[in-house]
Amino acid sequence: MIKYSFYKDLLARNYKMGSDDCFGLVRDLYKNAFGILLPNYARPRNFYDPRINLYARIVAQPEFKERGLCPTDFKEGDILAFRVAGADLVNHVGVYLGNNLFLHQMFEAQPREENLDQRWLRRLYMAVYHVDVPVTKEKLNILDVIPDYLKVEKYVE
């Protein structure tokens, strides 16, 4: 489970296309949790246009490998790519946190933790991992599996 402390400050930020959007959230979480700096691709308003296909450019990099679509195979730090709102190409990404939770930021909304339930799984297009993200088996901390809205700030470091 990715530690809450790596992304708790990201949850309060407001949406801003091209920096504080779904891909910006992935970039910032990777930097905080793994010390990995992902390239910052330009994201015009219709970045999922087939002529641009931003996600294809990202996963074509040699440091990314395909994970598959079986949720039981997902590991902390996997980047999940979705097709939302009837899009034909990927137009949304998030990061798998572990324990069936992922972190993402929808258009003009704040980032949030969410269950990877059937409504998200049917929109899932691909899951990839970065070869430098360590895969470890940590002792489970109950605070890491409680959704953010249930956490009481004074009890969470």
Side-chain angles (χ1 to χ4, degrees):
M1 184 78 185
I2 294 177
K3 293 180 181 177
Y4 179 67
S5 61
F6 289 137
Y7 63 90
K8 73 177 184 175
D9 292 337
L10 300 174
L11 294 172
R13 71 186 197 180
N14 292 317
Y15 184 90
K16 182 178 177 189
M17 176 60 95
S19 61
D20 296 340
D21 53 16
C22 63
F23 184 67
L25 181 70
V26 170
R27 288 185 74 242
D28 292 344
L29 180 61
Y30 260 63
K31 180 180 165 193
N32 294 351
F34 310 117
I36 296 171
L37 298 175
L38 297 177
N40 189 16
Y41 297 100
R43 297 180 296 284
R45 189 151 185 84
N46 294 321
F47 68 89
Y48 48 89
D49 183 302
R51 294 168 293 183
I52 299 170
N53 203 350
L54 175 64
Y55 191 72
R57 291 174 51 200
I58 295 167
V59 300
Q61 302 300 313
E63 61 269 16
F64 286 103
K65 306 292 181 202
E66 191 169 346
R67 174 75 69 199
L69 293 176
C70 182
T72 58
D73 294 337
F74 295 165
K75 307 284 186 242
E76 294 85 358
D78 285 357
I79 297 175
L80 306 177
F82 301 94
R83 294 182 292 198
V84 298
D88 292 332
L89 292 175
V90 169
N91 62 351
H92 186 61
V93 293
V95 177
Y96 187 71
L97 299 172
N99 293 327
N100 210 43
L101 291 174
F102 74 107
L103 181 70
H104 69 118
Q105 184 170 8
M106 295 296 289
F107 181 70
E108 297 187 351
Q110 289 185 306
R112 65 178 179 242
E113 300 166 314
E114 198 155 352
N115 284 318
L116 190 59
D117 57 22
Q118 284 302 314
R119 72 190 165 103
W120 285 106
L121 288 172
R122 73 175 173 257
R123 293 174 173 89
L124 184 64
Y125 179 75
M126 182 186 292
V128 297
Y129 65 94
H130 192 285
V131 296
D132 294 332
V133 171
V135 178
T136 58
K137 293 285 184 182
E138 294 184 23
K139 185 176 179 181
L140 182 65
N141 180 342
I142 192 64
L143 290 177
D144 288 333
V145 298
I146 298 172
D148 182 55
Y149 68 91
L150 294 177
K151 293 176 182 163
V152 177
E153 189 66 32
K154 68 181 182 178
Y155 294 114
V156 179
E157 296 182 286

